[in-house]
Amino acid sequence: MNRRQALSALTLGAGASLAAPSLARAQDKIVWKMAMSWPRNAPGVGVNAQRLAEMITTMSGGRLTIELYAGGELVPPFEVFDAVSSGVAQMGHATPYYWQGKDKAFHFFTGVPFGLTVAEYTGWLYFGGGQELWQRAYEPFGVLPFYAGSSGPQAGGWFRKEINSLSDLQGIKMRIAGLGGEAMRKLGVNVVLLPPGEIFSAMQSGTVDAAEWVGPWNDIAFGLYKVANYYYMPAFHEIGPALEATVNKEAFEALPGDLQEIVKRAVMASANESYADFTYGNVKSFAPLLAKEGVQLKTFPEDVMQALYTASEESLVEISETSPLAKEIYDSFTDYRKESNHYAKASELAALKMRASSMGRE
């Protein structure tokens, strides 16, 4: 071997030794645990969490595999956030108001009474600074939040007795989550927060007199029509409620850039898929649910709605006073809500009224 051949061989050898570790790192397989607050295979929530786990695994070619754990399998349903924060799980699938005890401002990233529609909410998150505010709220806990979809407008709940006035709410025990629960509490309701898997048994046993879950699709799957007759729609407290996928910040930052992007884009795709799934499921389940024996569709009386609005707005102001960040979030959210309401009167609300009027009694 002459000098030129020897140098060439050394160069190739050195290149191979440098490339090999890089190639090995790219092909290393990472396994993450995703804990969710939902029962396994629960319509909309559990099913779409499973789809998200499979999507990330497939899009990454198996380099990042997501193992899904239903509520109670890895941690209890209301401990998912702590599991992600501590690294017991690298991902979570739930909704922010389950952790509102850590920071009341979390409510703005889930279900605000008389709040934003799904389209308005995602506009605020993606283009109005909402996502950056959400990340700042979660930052002290080492958790990254991602919007993971919505059920769309939910139902106001199932009641054993008809609500004809404010006095009918006094003293009843109701399972209701988030700021809707705070508003109900201000009106004299005994609020109980139960994991989804315990709602039916609590209604059946009389532990609660009323309960809200999601909407027709989920409510029929949970059999809530069997334990109460009066079904109130729509929900005042969840017009466009948000699901979230949370990620342990340290685990996320340890991923190669392409896998980080896969996680982010997979959650965005899942958000759209989840909302479509909920919408279709609710449309198809609505008439069959109302056909169940004894079910009566109701709306809350005007005086009840006005009292709930007043109580809800008081709660938002109270939250805004808890910290400078909470005030910043409050201002951003409520300013955008006001603009959205103004636009909706001439756009989406007007369009739906136009359709309903044109289609008549169909």
Side-chain angles (χ1 to χ4, degrees):
M1 180 183 294
N2 60 34
R3 184 173 180 273
R4 179 175 294 178
Q5 289 173 325
L7 286 172
S8 178
L10 284 171
T11 302
L12 287 172
S17 64
L18 290 171
S22 177
L23 182 62
R25 282 195 298 271
Q27 293 179 342
D28 281 347
K29 293 190 176 181
I30 303 166
V31 179
W32 276 9
K33 296 176 181 176
M34 179 197 285
M36 63 178 182
S37 294
W38 327 116
R40 188 172 293 277
N41 298 320
V45 283
V47 170
N48 280 290
Q50 179 69 55
R51 288 173 178 158
L52 173 59
E54 294 170 353
M55 193 186 308
I56 293 173
T57 301
T58 301
M59 290 171 68
S60 68
R63 289 167 55 210
L64 177 57
T65 298
I66 310 297
E67 296 179 346
L68 185 69
Y69 294 84
E73 291 182 354
L74 183 64
V75 295
F78 293 156
E79 294 181 17
V80 170
F81 186 90
D82 287 338
V84 176
S85 178
S86 66
V88 170
Q90 290 75 34
M91 285 193 74
H93 198 283
T95 188
Y97 56 51
Y98 286 168
W99 346 117
Q100 56 87 25
K102 298 182 182 301
D103 189 333
K104 293 285 188 181
F106 288 5
H107 280 297
F108 285 100
F109 305 106
T110 175
V112 173
F114 305 94
L116 301 173
T117 67
V118 175
E120 292 165 349
Y121 185 70
T122 52
W124 178 63
L125 283 179
Y126 295 156
F127 302 104
Q131 179 65 37
E132 189 267 340
L133 291 168
W134 195 4
Q135 289 173 193
R136 285 169 58 191
Y138 277 22
E139 188 173 10
F141 305 95
V143 174
L144 291 173
F146 297 94
Y147 174 75
S150 176
S151 62
Q154 293 199 1
W158 294 87
F159 291 75
R160 295 188 189 279
K161 69 174 186 177
E162 190 173 357
I163 306 301
N164 293 309
S165 66
L166 282 169
S167 61
D168 291 328
L169 291 174
Q170 298 297 310
I172 69 169
K173 295 172 292 184
M174 182 178 185
R175 186 276 178 191
I176 180 170
L179 286 178
E182 292 298 314
M184 282 290 190
R185 186 178 288 112
K186 287 176 181 286
L187 300 187
V189 174
N190 294 320
V191 174
V192 180
L193 182 57
L194 298 168
E198 298 177 18
I199 297 173
F200 178 84
S201 60
M203 283 287 286
Q204 187 177 45
S205 67
T207 300
V208 295
D209 307 304
E212 61 82 33
W213 173 213
V214 182
W217 187 33
N218 297 82
D219 292 357
I220 201 170
F222 275 46
L224 297 181
Y225 61 91
K226 299 176 183 177
V227 289
N229 290 335
Y230 298 105
Y231 192 38
Y232 281 81
M233 290 186 72
F236 73 96
H237 60 298
E238 293 182 315
I239 296 175
L243 299 171
E244 68 174 2
T246 48
V247 179
N248 178 276
K249 189 172 184 289
E250 185 176 345
F252 183 80
E253 291 177 346
L255 292 177
D258 64 327
L259 292 186
Q260 290 182 359
E261 193 67 14
I262 283 173
V263 171
K264 289 191 291 186
R265 297 300 171 178
V267 177
M268 291 181 75
S270 177
N272 183 64
E273 185 175 40
S274 297
Y275 179 45
D277 200 15
F278 270 112
T279 300
Y280 185 82
N282 283 324
V283 167
K284 289 295 187 179
S285 300
F286 185 54
L289 180 58
L290 296 186
K292 297 292 184 183
E293 184 177 357
V295 172
Q296 298 183 50
L297 183 65
K298 298 287 182 178
T299 57
F300 291 115
E302 184 60 33
D303 64 329
V304 171
M305 293 301 295
Q306 191 58 49
L308 287 168
Y309 175 76
T310 300
S312 298
E313 292 303 293
E314 289 175 357
S315 294
L316 294 183
V317 172
E318 289 165 4
I319 291 172
S320 75
E321 296 170 345
T322 59
S323 72
L325 178 58
K327 180 63 164 62
E328 189 176 347
I329 296 169
Y330 170 84
D331 288 343
S332 177
F333 185 95
T334 55
D335 287 349
Y336 179 68
R337 181 181 61 167
K338 185 176 181 179
E339 292 177 313
S340 296
N341 189 52
H342 180 65
Y343 178 63
K345 291 176 182 178
S347 58
E348 189 167 15
L349 180 60
L352 290 174
K353 286 182 176 179
M354 177 184 66
R355 184 178 72 179
S357 176
S358 299
M359 294 182 69
R361 295 184 177 274
E362 290 184 30

